[in-house]
Protein backbone atom coordinates (compact mmCIF):
# COMPACT_ATOMS: atom_id res chain seq x y z
CA UNK A 1 0.00 0.00 0.00
CA UNK A 2 1.32 3.45 -0.90
CA UNK A 3 2.09 5.77 1.98
CA UNK A 4 -0.02 8.56 0.49
CA UNK A 5 -2.83 7.79 -1.90
CA UNK A 6 -4.80 10.18 -4.05
CA UNK A 7 -7.33 9.83 -6.83
CA UNK A 8 -5.27 10.83 -9.89
CA UNK A 9 -8.29 12.29 -11.68
CA UNK A 10 -8.47 14.07 -13.97
CA UNK A 11 -11.21 16.24 -12.58
CA UNK A 12 -12.75 18.39 -15.29
CA UNK A 13 -15.06 21.06 -13.90
CA UNK A 14 -16.65 24.27 -15.20
CA UNK A 15 -15.68 27.65 -13.87
CA UNK A 16 -17.48 28.46 -10.66
CA UNK A 17 -17.88 24.84 -9.62
CA UNK A 18 -16.93 23.44 -6.24
CA UNK A 19 -14.53 20.52 -6.33
CA UNK A 20 -13.11 18.33 -3.58
CA UNK A 21 -10.01 16.15 -3.49
CA UNK A 22 -9.31 13.40 -1.01
CA UNK A 23 -6.14 11.82 0.23
CA UNK A 24 -5.42 8.95 2.60
CA UNK A 25 -2.17 8.15 4.37
CA UNK A 26 -0.94 4.92 5.90
CA UNK A 27 1.38 6.00 8.72
CA UNK A 28 -0.58 6.89 11.84
CA UNK A 29 2.55 8.56 13.28
CA UNK A 30 2.41 11.25 10.61
CA UNK A 31 2.86 14.62 12.21
CA UNK A 32 1.79 17.27 9.74
CA UNK A 33 -0.01 17.58 6.47
CA UNK A 34 -0.01 19.87 3.47
CA UNK A 35 -1.34 20.51 0.02
CA UNK A 36 1.11 21.52 -2.69
CA UNK A 37 0.18 22.71 -6.15
CA UNK A 38 2.13 21.85 -9.28
CA UNK A 39 1.50 23.52 -12.61
CA UNK A 40 2.34 21.70 -15.82
CA UNK A 41 6.11 21.42 -16.28
CA UNK A 42 6.75 23.52 -13.17
CA UNK A 43 7.93 22.80 -9.66
CA UNK A 44 5.59 22.03 -6.73
CA UNK A 45 4.69 24.97 -4.50
CA UNK A 46 3.13 24.99 -1.05
CA UNK A 47 -0.58 25.77 -1.28
CA UNK A 48 -1.57 25.41 2.36
CA UNK A 49 -0.98 23.51 5.54
CA UNK A 50 -3.72 21.29 6.96
CA UNK A 51 -4.56 21.74 10.63
CA UNK A 52 -6.48 19.35 12.85
CA UNK A 53 -9.33 21.81 13.29
CA UNK A 54 -9.59 22.45 9.57
CA UNK A 55 -8.51 25.68 7.96
CA UNK A 56 -9.53 27.99 5.20
CA UNK A 57 -7.60 30.27 2.86
CA UNK A 58 -9.91 32.22 0.63
CA UNK A 59 -11.67 29.78 -1.67
CA UNK A 60 -9.65 26.84 -0.35
CA UNK A 61 -10.60 24.72 2.66
CA UNK A 62 -8.48 21.90 4.02
CA UNK A 63 -9.57 19.30 6.54
CA UNK A 64 -7.87 16.51 8.43
CA UNK A 65 -9.36 13.41 10.01
CA UNK A 66 -6.64 11.70 12.01
CA UNK A 67 -8.86 8.81 13.08
CA UNK A 68 -9.55 7.89 9.46
CA UNK A 69 -6.13 9.04 8.24
CA UNK A 70 -7.80 11.19 5.65
CA UNK A 71 -7.13 14.68 4.29
CA UNK A 72 -9.29 16.75 1.99
CA UNK A 73 -9.08 19.93 -0.07
CA UNK A 74 -12.16 21.84 -1.17
CA UNK A 75 -12.01 24.53 -3.83
CA UNK A 76 -15.04 26.80 -4.13
CA UNK A 77 -15.89 29.02 -7.09
CA UNK A 78 -13.12 27.46 -9.16
CA UNK A 79 -11.17 29.65 -11.58
CA UNK A 80 -9.39 28.78 -14.79
CA UNK A 81 -6.15 29.52 -12.96
CA UNK A 82 -6.86 26.72 -10.48
CA UNK A 83 -6.05 24.19 -13.21
CA UNK A 84 -3.06 22.27 -11.89
CA UNK A 85 -2.06 19.08 -10.12
CA UNK A 86 -2.67 19.07 -6.38
CA UNK A 87 -0.26 17.03 -4.29
CA UNK A 88 -1.15 15.73 -0.86
CA UNK A 89 1.91 15.73 1.42
CA UNK A 90 2.44 13.97 4.73
CA UNK A 91 5.31 14.83 7.04
CA UNK A 92 6.52 11.84 9.04
CA UNK A 93 9.04 13.90 10.97
CA UNK A 94 10.67 17.23 10.46
CA UNK A 95 12.25 16.40 7.13
CA UNK A 96 10.67 13.17 5.94
CA UNK A 97 7.98 14.39 3.57
CA UNK A 98 5.97 11.92 1.52
CA UNK A 99 4.16 13.17 -1.55
CA UNK A 100 1.07 11.68 -3.12
CA UNK A 101 1.05 11.16 -6.87
CA UNK A 102 -1.26 14.16 -7.29
CA UNK A 103 -4.77 14.87 -8.50
CA UNK A 104 -5.08 16.70 -11.78
CA UNK A 105 -7.68 19.44 -12.04
CA UNK A 106 -8.80 21.18 -15.21
CA UNK A 107 -11.21 24.09 -14.90
CA UNK A 108 -12.99 24.87 -18.15
CA UNK A 109 -14.72 28.07 -19.26
CA UNK B 1 15.53 36.36 -3.44
CA UNK B 2 16.49 34.26 -6.44
CA UNK B 3 14.91 31.10 -5.09
CA UNK B 4 16.44 27.66 -5.49
CA UNK B 5 18.65 27.53 -8.57
CA UNK B 6 19.23 24.36 -10.52
CA UNK B 7 21.41 23.65 -13.52
CA UNK B 8 21.23 22.51 -16.16
CA UNK B 9 17.51 22.90 -16.85
CA UNK B 10 17.63 20.21 -19.52
CA UNK B 11 20.13 17.44 -20.07
CA UNK B 12 20.17 14.85 -22.84
CA UNK B 13 22.85 12.22 -22.62
CA UNK B 14 23.63 8.73 -23.79
CA UNK B 15 23.47 5.64 -21.70
CA UNK B 16 26.68 5.07 -19.79
CA UNK B 17 27.63 8.72 -19.52
CA UNK B 18 28.13 10.53 -16.25
CA UNK B 19 25.53 13.16 -15.37
CA UNK B 20 25.98 15.88 -12.76
CA UNK B 21 23.05 17.97 -11.58
CA UNK B 22 23.66 21.12 -9.55
CA UNK B 23 21.68 23.02 -6.96
CA UNK B 24 22.05 26.26 -5.08
CA UNK B 25 19.59 26.48 -2.17
CA UNK B 26 17.98 29.65 -0.89
CA UNK B 27 20.45 31.62 1.19
CA UNK B 28 19.96 30.90 4.88
CA UNK B 29 18.18 27.60 4.39
CA UNK B 30 19.93 24.73 6.14
CA UNK B 31 18.05 21.72 4.74
CA UNK B 32 18.39 20.55 1.16
CA UNK B 33 16.45 17.82 -0.61
CA UNK B 34 16.83 15.99 -3.90
CA UNK B 35 13.67 14.54 -5.49
CA UNK B 36 12.96 12.65 -8.68
CA UNK B 37 9.61 12.84 -10.46
CA UNK B 38 8.28 10.47 -13.11
CA UNK B 39 4.80 9.76 -14.39
CA UNK B 40 4.97 6.21 -13.08
CA UNK B 41 6.34 6.83 -9.60
CA UNK B 42 5.41 10.43 -8.84
CA UNK B 43 7.68 12.53 -6.65
CA UNK B 44 10.26 10.52 -4.74
CA UNK B 45 12.69 11.78 -2.12
CA UNK B 46 16.20 10.62 -2.96
CA UNK B 47 18.30 12.19 -0.20
CA UNK B 48 18.31 15.13 2.15
CA UNK B 49 20.95 17.11 4.02
CA UNK B 50 20.78 19.11 7.23
CA UNK B 51 23.58 21.64 7.69
CA UNK B 52 25.47 20.04 4.78
CA UNK B 53 25.36 16.57 6.37
CA UNK B 54 23.49 13.75 4.58
CA UNK B 55 20.74 12.56 6.92
CA UNK B 56 18.78 10.03 4.93
CA UNK B 57 19.82 8.57 1.59
CA UNK B 58 17.50 5.57 1.70
CA UNK B 59 15.70 6.89 -1.36
CA UNK B 60 18.78 6.78 -3.57
CA UNK B 61 17.96 4.06 -6.11
CA UNK B 62 21.35 2.39 -6.28
CA UNK B 63 25.09 2.91 -6.10
CA UNK B 64 25.10 4.68 -9.43
CA UNK B 65 23.61 7.69 -7.64
CA UNK B 66 25.62 9.89 -5.30
CA UNK B 67 25.05 13.31 -3.77
CA UNK B 68 27.31 15.80 -2.08
CA UNK B 69 26.94 19.09 -0.31
CA UNK B 70 30.41 20.57 0.14
CA UNK B 71 29.07 23.83 1.57
CA UNK B 72 25.84 25.55 2.51
CA UNK B 73 25.30 27.05 -0.91
CA UNK B 74 25.93 24.16 -3.27
CA UNK B 75 24.96 20.55 -3.82
CA UNK B 76 25.40 18.04 -6.62
CA UNK B 77 23.61 14.87 -7.61
CA UNK B 78 25.68 12.57 -9.78
CA UNK B 79 24.61 9.55 -11.81
CA UNK B 80 27.40 7.33 -13.08
CA UNK B 81 26.82 5.48 -15.33
CA UNK B 82 23.44 6.76 -16.45
CA UNK B 83 20.72 4.47 -17.78
CA UNK B 84 17.53 5.19 -19.78
CA UNK B 85 15.40 4.43 -16.70
CA UNK B 86 17.01 7.39 -14.95
CA UNK B 87 15.12 9.72 -17.29
CA UNK B 88 13.00 11.96 -15.08
CA UNK B 89 12.72 15.47 -13.70
CA UNK B 90 15.07 15.99 -10.78
CA UNK B 91 14.07 18.66 -8.28
CA UNK B 92 16.15 20.24 -5.59
CA UNK B 93 14.34 21.87 -2.66
CA UNK B 94 15.49 23.76 0.41
CA UNK B 95 13.97 24.75 3.72
CA UNK B 96 14.77 25.79 7.25
CA UNK B 97 15.23 22.78 9.52
CA UNK B 98 12.69 24.01 12.02
CA UNK B 99 10.11 24.67 9.33
CA UNK B 100 10.82 21.75 7.08
CA UNK B 101 7.27 21.72 5.86
CA UNK B 102 7.81 24.81 3.75
CA UNK B 103 10.03 23.34 1.13
CA UNK B 104 10.89 25.63 -1.74
CA UNK B 105 11.55 23.79 -4.96
CA UNK B 106 13.86 24.71 -7.77
CA UNK B 107 12.64 24.62 -11.38
CA UNK B 108 14.01 21.11 -11.88
CA UNK B 109 16.38 19.46 -14.32
CA UNK B 110 14.71 17.42 -17.05
CA UNK B 111 17.04 14.51 -17.73
CA UNK B 112 16.75 12.28 -20.78
CA UNK B 113 19.07 9.31 -21.09
CA UNK B 114 19.05 7.77 -24.57
Amino acid sequence: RKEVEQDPGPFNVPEGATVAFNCTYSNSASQSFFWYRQDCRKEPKLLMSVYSSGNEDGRFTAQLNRASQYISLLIRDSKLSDSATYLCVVNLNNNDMRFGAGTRLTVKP
Amino acid sequence: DAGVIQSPRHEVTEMGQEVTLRCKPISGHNSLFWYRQTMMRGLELLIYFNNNVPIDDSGMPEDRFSAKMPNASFSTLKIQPSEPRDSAVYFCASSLVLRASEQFFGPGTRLTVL
Side-chain angles (χ1 to χ4, degrees):
Chain A
R1 182 185 171 192
K2 290 183 182 177
E3 289 176 323
V4 182
E5 295 209 54
Q6 296 182 247
D7 179 347
F11 285 63
N12 298 308
V13 302
E15 262 186 299
T18 295
V19 61
F21 306 137
N22 302 321
C23 168
T24 57
Y25 60 96
S26 61
N27 192 329
S28 59
S30 300
Q31 297 184 356
S32 48
F33 311 88
F34 312 91
W35 285 100
Y36 274 66
R37 170 192 169 132
Q38 186 173 21
D39 292 294
C40 187
R41 302 181 79 85
K42 298 285 189 180
E43 70 273 23
K45 292 183 180 179
L46 179 65
L47 177 67
M48 60 193 301
S49 302
V50 185
Y51 302 123
S52 297
S53 55
N55 51 297
E56 197 172 295
D57 183 1
R59 298 180 293 107
F60 298 83
T61 301
Q63 293 199 312
L64 167 65
N65 183 323
R66 283 190 183 269
S68 303
Q69 296 180 200
Y70 169 97
I71 306 157
S72 66
L73 177 68
L74 182 79
I75 304 175
R76 291 184 300 278
D77 187 24
S78 51
K79 312 290 185 191
L80 297 178
S81 57
D82 294 334
S83 298
T85 296
Y86 291 83
L87 305 169
C88 174
V89 186
V90 172
N91 193 359
L92 300 182
N93 59 48
N94 244 0
N95 278 324
D96 194 352
M97 304 266 281
R98 302 302 168 97
F99 284 74
T103 298
R104 201 169 86 206
L105 170 67
T106 300
V107 181
K108 300 187 174 181
Chain B
D1 194 333
V4 176
I5 298 172
Q6 290 187 248
S7 64
R9 295 291 304 276
H10 301 272
E11 176 84 21
V12 180
T13 191
E14 293 188 342
M15 183 174 65
Q17 297 297 306
E18 178 179 294
V19 174
T20 299
L21 311 181
R22 297 173 176 80
C23 175
K24 177 178 167 52
I26 292 173
S27 177
H29 282 187
N30 47 11
S31 287
L32 183 140
F33 309 81
W34 282 102
Y35 290 90
R36 176 173 69 175
Q37 187 173 39
T38 62
M39 289 291 291
M40 291 294 292
R41 301 174 67 90
L43 198 62
E44 302 174 282
L45 177 65
L46 301 177
I47 184 172
Y48 72 89
F49 298 82
N50 280 353
N51 298 311
N52 313 339
V53 176
I55 302 300
D56 184 354
D57 65 354
S58 59
M60 296 285 261
E62 49 199 271
D63 291 345
R64 297 184 298 106
F65 286 69
S66 62
K68 293 182 180 179
M69 192 165 185
N71 57 62
S73 59
F74 183 65
S75 177
T76 59
L77 177 68
K78 188 174 291 188
I79 309 173
Q80 166 64 17
S82 56
E83 297 182 4
R85 61 193 167 119
D86 301 330
S87 298
V89 180
Y90 290 81
F91 288 106
C92 175
S94 71
S95 72
L96 293 170
V97 172
L98 293 182
R99 301 193 70 183
S101 57
E102 297 182 32
Q103 291 188 11
F104 295 84
F105 283 74
T109 295
R110 186 171 297 273
L111 173 65
T112 303
V113 183
L114 303 174

